[in-house]
């Protein structure tokens, strides 16, 4: 006779309540799987994205978990009286997430998880308030928390002179300041525009020209090549990646079966630096220093000097729009033995079916899953697939759980 498993507080604990965490928790609950979601609802978007920002994703790819029905973005827009126009304002996206949470994860536990440990029958989650939760499975949905990419040249410089774009919920403090924005992707370009609107003198410093996404369509340019025409008319729903690779991106389960090198190539091609074309008209008054390589940076009193290969320039502040690089060790969540047991490649967990890591019962969704399931996991458009896949996997392996609790 098999001994019953030790009692746990829930079948699945979902850590993180951003788009992926809410989508997965909602799907698990709908499947009657006892689920506890932990963390602040939409907290990364609230605290680490600047006010006035608009989402890069098109309207029909900005849903959380459900593409149609009563909990879709269209339904939210109708209830709140918001026009379904693109691109969606950050404030409206956060409200949409809170709307989803209130209806599907009303029992969200807003406490923070400080440590994940293995325990008999599953996992022990130590909470910041000293309490603990025991779960049979854990889904890590922490998004881009602590994943900022900081170029080595800026290591050791004071925060008042150098900061990452994710450290700001607004740029009003930079009014009248001379600010260098480093990067040429969406974060860097949109931060430059918002800084300019806040009254800063802005210079964008980047290694190459800005790749404006969809600008031909927005500008009404009629002299399209056949490739341009096909890219627009046959664009994939989420518009992640270049045509026609963008259609592969739409099928994460298929991408997961790719050889490692092929999947890496798809990720690199699809997640290259690019900025939405609707930002370009707002670049009037922003100096773009393209093709420049920064070879040094040093504090000069209350300013910072950037040294390039041929000259130098001084700024009041440097804002890093340099994106993110996944390294789950930097999450600071895992006990040493747990971290050591997670098979990783370049910092990201290697995931099998159901987004499960090499530790049975420990799953990762969202940005941490890009290396295994492809570029769609970097965007909210990937939430429906992740939610369905994890839920199906847990249901298939959850037989007997209810009996074990009784």
């Amino acid at each position: 006779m098999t001994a019953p498993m030790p009692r746990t507080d829930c079948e699945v604990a979902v850590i993180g309540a951003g788009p992926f965490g809410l989508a997965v928790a909602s799907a698990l609950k709908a499947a009657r799987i006892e689920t506890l979601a932990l963390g602040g609802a939409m907290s990364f978007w609230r605290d680490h994205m600047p006010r006035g920002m608009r989402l890069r994703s098109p309207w029909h790819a900005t849903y959380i978990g459900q593409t149609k029905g009563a909990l879709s973005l269209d339904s939210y827009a109708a209830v709140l009286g918001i026009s379904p126009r693109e691109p969606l304002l950050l404030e409206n996206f956060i409200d949409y997430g809170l709307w989803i949470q209130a209806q599907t994860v009303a029992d969200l536990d807003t406490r923070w998880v400080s440590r994940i440990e293995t325990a008999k029958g599953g996992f022990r989650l130590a909470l910041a308030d000293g309490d603990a939760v025991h779960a049979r499975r854990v889904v890590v949905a922490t998004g881009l928390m602590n994943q900022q990419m900081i170029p080595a040249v800026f290591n050791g410089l004071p925060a008042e002179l150098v900061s990452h774009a994710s450290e700001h919920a607004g740029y009003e403090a930079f009014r009248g300041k001379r600010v260098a924005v480093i990067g040429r992707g969406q974060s860097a370009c949109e931060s430059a525009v918002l800084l300019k609107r806040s009254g800063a003198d802005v210079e964008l410093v980047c290694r190459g020209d800005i790749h404006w996404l969809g600008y031909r369509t927005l500008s009404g340019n009629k002299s399209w090549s056949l490739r341009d025409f096909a890219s627009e008319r046959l664009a994939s729903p989420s518009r992640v990646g270049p045509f026609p690779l963008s259609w592969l991106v739409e099928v994460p389960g298929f991408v997961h079966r790719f050889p490692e090198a092929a999947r890496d190539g798809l990720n690199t091609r699809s997640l290259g630096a690019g900025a939405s074309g609707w930002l370009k008209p707002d670049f009037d008054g922003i100096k773009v220093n393209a093709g420049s390589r920064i070879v040094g940076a040093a504090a000069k009193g209350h300013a910072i000097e950037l040294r390039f290969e041929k000259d130098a320039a001084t700024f009041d502040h440097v804002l890093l729009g340099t994106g993110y690089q996944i390294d789950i060790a930097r999450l600071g969540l895992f006990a040493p033995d747990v971290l050591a047991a997670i098979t990783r490649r370049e910092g990201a967990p290697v995931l099998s079916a159901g987004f499960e890591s090499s530790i049975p019962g420990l799953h990762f969704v969202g940005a941490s899953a890009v290396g295994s399931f492809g570029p769609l996991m970097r965007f909210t458009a990937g939430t429906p697939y992740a939610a369905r896949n994890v839920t199906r996997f847990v249901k298939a392996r959850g037989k007997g759980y209810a009996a074990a609790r009784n």
Side-chain angles (χ1 to χ4, degrees):
M1 179 177 178
T2 302
M5 296 295 287
R7 181 181 179 85
T8 55
D9 296 308
C10 59
E11 167 73 343
V12 184
V14 178
I15 302 175
F20 276 90
L22 291 175
V24 171
S26 175
L28 289 168
K29 284 175 171 289
R32 300 181 182 276
I33 296 169
E34 190 172 6
T35 303
L36 175 64
L38 299 118
M42 302 296 288
S43 60
F44 189 87
W45 294 83
R46 284 199 323 263
D47 302 332
H48 300 280
M49 301 285 181
R51 290 179 296 275
M53 181 190 109
R54 291 182 180 271
L55 272 68
R56 170 177 161 178
S57 300
W59 179 277
H60 56 269
T62 311
Y63 31 65
I64 297 175
Q66 299 190 28
T67 59
K68 298 178 181 178
L71 294 175
S72 67
L73 179 58
D74 287 334
S75 294
Y76 162 77
V79 169
L80 274 274
I82 295 173
S83 174
R85 59 191 177 91
E86 302 171 349
L88 187 66
L89 270 169
L90 171 68
E91 292 85 342
N92 289 336
F93 182 64
I94 292 171
D95 284 344
Y96 168 47
L98 297 177
W99 182 72
I100 291 287
Q101 180 262 313
Q103 296 183 78
T104 64
V105 196
D107 59 348
L108 176 68
D109 189 327
T110 59
R111 292 176 295 176
W112 294 99
V113 175
S114 58
R115 183 62 63 96
I116 300 174
E117 305 166 345
T118 54
K120 190 173 182 181
F123 301 87
R124 178 182 183 273
L125 310 183
L127 305 183
D129 65 357
D131 202 354
V133 169
H134 290 81
R136 206 167 292 273
R137 291 184 179 273
V138 171
V139 178
V140 180
T142 49
L144 295 171
M145 182 181 75
N146 297 340
Q147 304 297 289
Q148 299 91 332
M149 183 160 53
I150 310 295
V153 71
F154 296 106
N155 287 346
L157 290 171
E160 58 267 25
L161 296 180
V162 180
S163 61
H164 192 273
S166 64
E167 297 174 44
H168 301 277
Y171 293 128
E172 297 82 3
F174 295 103
R175 179 179 300 276
K177 301 291 183 68
R178 187 162 186 244
V179 181
V181 178
I182 313 300
R184 55 176 175 153
Q186 183 74 13
S187 176
C189 291
E190 192 160 14
S191 291
V193 168
L194 294 174
L195 279 162
K196 187 191 76 169
R197 289 179 186 168
S198 296
D201 177 13
V202 184
E203 180 173 332
L204 188 79
V205 179
C206 48
R207 292 178 295 178
D209 293 332
I210 301 169
H211 178 209
W212 294 109
L213 304 170
Y215 183 65
R216 285 180 179 273
T217 303
L218 293 164
S219 64
N221 192 322
K222 303 300 182 183
S223 58
W224 287 18
S225 67
L226 180 60
R227 183 178 180 81
D228 291 332
F229 181 82
S231 296
E232 286 299 319
R233 299 302 180 187
L234 302 177
S236 66
S238 67
R239 293 178 176 259
V240 176
F243 175 84
L245 293 180
S246 54
W247 284 97
L248 289 176
V249 173
E250 298 290 325
V251 195
F254 183 52
V255 174
H256 185 241
R257 296 186 178 92
F258 278 18
E260 188 177 287
R263 192 166 56 246
D264 287 347
L266 179 65
N267 288 340
T268 299
R269 288 287 306 279
S270 301
L271 296 174
S276 298
W278 43 262
L279 283 169
K280 188 172 183 181
D282 292 320
F283 254 63
D284 288 343
I286 296 175
K287 180 182 177 181
V288 178
N289 186 353
S292 296
R293 189 170 75 89
I294 300 171
V295 297
K300 295 287 184 179
H302 296 293
I304 178 170
E305 181 185 71
L306 297 184
R307 296 190 298 276
F308 306 104
E309 292 175 308
K310 295 183 179 179
D311 57 6
T314 301
F315 300 89
D316 295 307
H317 193 84
V318 169
L319 184 79
L320 302 176
T322 46
Y324 303 85
Q325 186 170 10
I326 299 301
D327 181 356
I328 61 170
R330 288 193 284 145
L331 292 174
L333 280 175
F334 306 102
D337 61 323
V338 174
L339 183 63
I342 301 172
T343 300
R344 290 167 283 165
R345 194 163 64 86
E346 297 181 356
V350 175
L351 306 175
S352 58
F355 291 79
E356 190 175 43
S357 71
S358 55
I359 298 180
L362 180 61
H363 306 251
F364 291 81
V365 295
S368 294
V370 167
S372 294
F373 284 86
L376 200 66
M377 296 301 108
R378 179 66 178 77
F379 299 88
T380 58
T383 60
Y385 177 82
R388 289 194 309 269
N389 194 272
V390 171
T391 300
R392 188 182 305 122
F393 185 91
V394 174
K395 283 182 68 177
R397 287 154 181 80
K399 294 177 181 179
Y401 168 67
R405 280 185 57 84
N406 294 328

